[in-house]
Amino acid sequence: MTTGGDSGPLQRNPAADRPRCRLGVNIDHVATIRNARGGVHPDPVRAAHLCAVAGADGITAHLREDRRHIRDADMYRLKEEISLPLNFEMAATAEMVGICLDVAPHAVCLVPERRAERTTEGGLDVAGQREALAAFIDRLGSAGIRVSLFIDPDEAQVRAAQALGAPVIELHTGAYHEAVQATTPVRIQAEFDKIEAAADLGEALGLEIHAGHGLDFQNVQAIAGLPPIRELNIGHFLVGEAVFMGLDQAIREMRRLIDDARTGMLV
Ligand code: PXP
């Protein structure tokens, strides 16, 4: 053990021996700004090129049923023009599965969708819709697309995802984000504990663990420091922060925070 001078003993970070945590950048809200004027600027595909240069490991885009931000043509262009792996977020519907099979992305993340919601407000109820999901997972998986299920950090949902044969789960970190915003220590700890327990359980069941939603410079390190986490998908904060520091710098800073959370020593 290394000693840390006045700040006490430093401990080896348990995440340091694990693979690096990938950063997927969600570019939906570049399209939100574009669509506000109905034209072609700013182009989400151009943003995706920038993400690649800045060190993102993948591009995530959500083709919502109401097409409020990303459009079908964006998905095809992202697949054609960007060399990074494309993670296609979508609702588990026959229409979306058809488009996804046609685009043939590297990965798909199945999310719940309600038209009236402002964003993806909760995880998929995997336990409650096993049959419909099983068929979609099977079709997408057979086409060579890696399937992930976006779920709340909840034991029953993790077990249901594994039982359905999904290789990956993405844990919804929105409640943790809200707890940090509210600065209520008991709530922060409780939400963090749920994510940690779900990540540990998922890993023990043989799943690859991702996380996302509401991650920012303030809260990302706690999540990135969890050893089972292999990928974080982050969008709204990075696009918002791009207004102030530029997209390139925002991604580089996020990348640095994630890497430090995994390799840095812990006091
Ligand atoms: N992961 C999933 C499955 C999502 O639905 C979203 C939001 O579209 C994100 C990650 C990114 O969340 P945020 O935009 O809050 O960073």
Side-chain angles (χ1 to χ4, degrees), residues 26 28 62 89 109 111 119-120 150 170 212-214 233-236:
N26 180 317
D28 292 349
H62 184 174
E89 263 183 36
C109 181
V111 303
T119 178
T120 315
F150 188 44
E170 179 163 329
H213 206 94
N233 286 299
I234 308 180
H236 185 268

Side-chain angles (χ1 to χ4, degrees), residues 177-250:
H177 160 78
E178 278 166 24
V180 174
Q181 294 289 299
T183 60
T184 328
V186 176
R187 230 179 103 195
I188 296 171
Q189 190 63 50
E191 294 301 338
F192 179 77
D193 289 348
K194 285 186 207 167
I195 296 168
E196 184 174 38
D200 287 344
L201 173 64
E203 184 178 60
L205 293 174
L207 299 171
E208 181 172 315
I209 316 296
H210 300 177
H213 206 94
L215 294 177
D216 56 28
F217 290 159
Q218 188 188 359
N219 63 24
V220 74
Q221 289 200 298
I223 306 299
L226 291 171
I229 303 279
R230 296 291 311 279
E231 179 176 308
L232 297 176
N233 286 299
I234 308 180
H236 185 268
F237 177 81
L238 288 172
V239 174
E241 197 59 22
V243 171
F244 304 109
M245 65 195 299
L247 187 57
D248 182 272
Q249 281 307 308

Side-chain angles (χ1 to χ4, degrees), residues 27-29 31-32 34-35 44 61-64 67-72 74-75 78:
I27 46 132
D28 292 349
H29 296 300
T32 302
R34 174 194 63 189
N35 295 0
H62 184 174
L63 185 66
R64 292 189 71 104
R67 311 300 199 268
R68 70 175 68 159
H69 37 57
I70 293 292
R71 300 173 181 147
D72 300 44
D74 296 325
M75 280 300 189
L78 286 168

Side-chain angles (χ1 to χ4, degrees), residues 2-257:
T2 320
T3 52
D6 291 345
S7 54
L10 289 177
Q11 300 192 358
R12 187 160 171 73
N13 188 333
D17 301 323
R18 300 302 192 92
R20 175 176 174 277
C21 177
R22 297 188 298 266
L23 170 61
V25 178
N26 180 317
I27 46 132
D28 292 349
H29 296 300
V30 177
T32 302
I33 300 171
R34 174 194 63 189
N35 295 0
R37 286 288 169 94
V40 295
H41 182 81
D43 177 13
V45 181
R46 181 173 163 205
H49 280 292
L50 242 168
C51 295
V53 172
D57 299 291
I59 298 297
T60 293
H62 184 174
L63 185 66
R64 292 189 71 104
E65 292 181 272
D66 61 11
R67 311 300 199 268
R68 70 175 68 159
H69 37 57
I70 293 292
R71 300 173 181 147
D72 300 44
D74 296 325
M75 280 300 189
Y76 287 96
R77 286 184 58 220
L78 286 168
K79 176 67 196 317
E80 278 300 304
E81 297 177 32
I82 305 296
S83 55
L84 290 178
L86 174 62
N87 178 28
F88 191 138
E89 263 183 36
M90 60 182 219
T93 66
E95 182 207 11
M96 285 298 154
V97 170
I99 297 170
C100 184
L101 289 170
D102 199 39
V103 171
H106 166 74
V108 63
C109 181
L110 297 178
V111 303
E113 228 177 81
R114 289 198 309 275
R115 273 169 202 268
E117 71 189 357
R118 231 183 292 165
T119 178
T120 315
E121 281 163 8
L124 266 181
D125 180 13
V126 182
Q129 43 177 324
R130 285 173 208 259
E131 273 178 35
L133 284 174
F136 289 138
I137 294 170
D138 189 47
R139 276 189 75 194
L140 293 160
S142 304
I145 301 170
R146 189 196 67 191
V147 182
S148 155
L149 303 181
F150 188 44
I151 59 171
D152 287 329
D154 170 85
E155 179 180 343
Q157 298 295 345
V158 176
R159 290 191 184 281
Q162 193 255 356
L164 281 187
V168 181
I169 52 172
E170 179 163 329
L171 299 173
H172 196 309
T173 49
Y176 176 68
H177 160 78
E178 278 166 24
V180 174
Q181 294 289 299
T183 60
T184 328
V186 176
R187 230 179 103 195
I188 296 171
Q189 190 63 50
E191 294 301 338
F192 179 77
D193 289 348
K194 285 186 207 167
I195 296 168
E196 184 174 38
D200 287 344
L201 173 64
E203 184 178 60
L205 293 174
L207 299 171
E208 181 172 315
I209 316 296
H210 300 177
H213 206 94
L215 294 177
D216 56 28
F217 290 159
Q218 188 188 359
N219 63 24
V220 74
Q221 289 200 298
I223 306 299
L226 291 171
I229 303 279
R230 296 291 311 279
E231 179 176 308
L232 297 176
N233 286 299
I234 308 180
H236 185 268
F237 177 81
L238 288 172
V239 174
E241 197 59 22
V243 171
F244 304 109
M245 65 195 299
L247 187 57
D248 182 272
Q249 281 307 308
I251 291 170
R252 285 180 200 276
E253 176 62 3
M254 190 63 85
R255 177 77 270 156
R256 184 190 70 75
L257 290 168

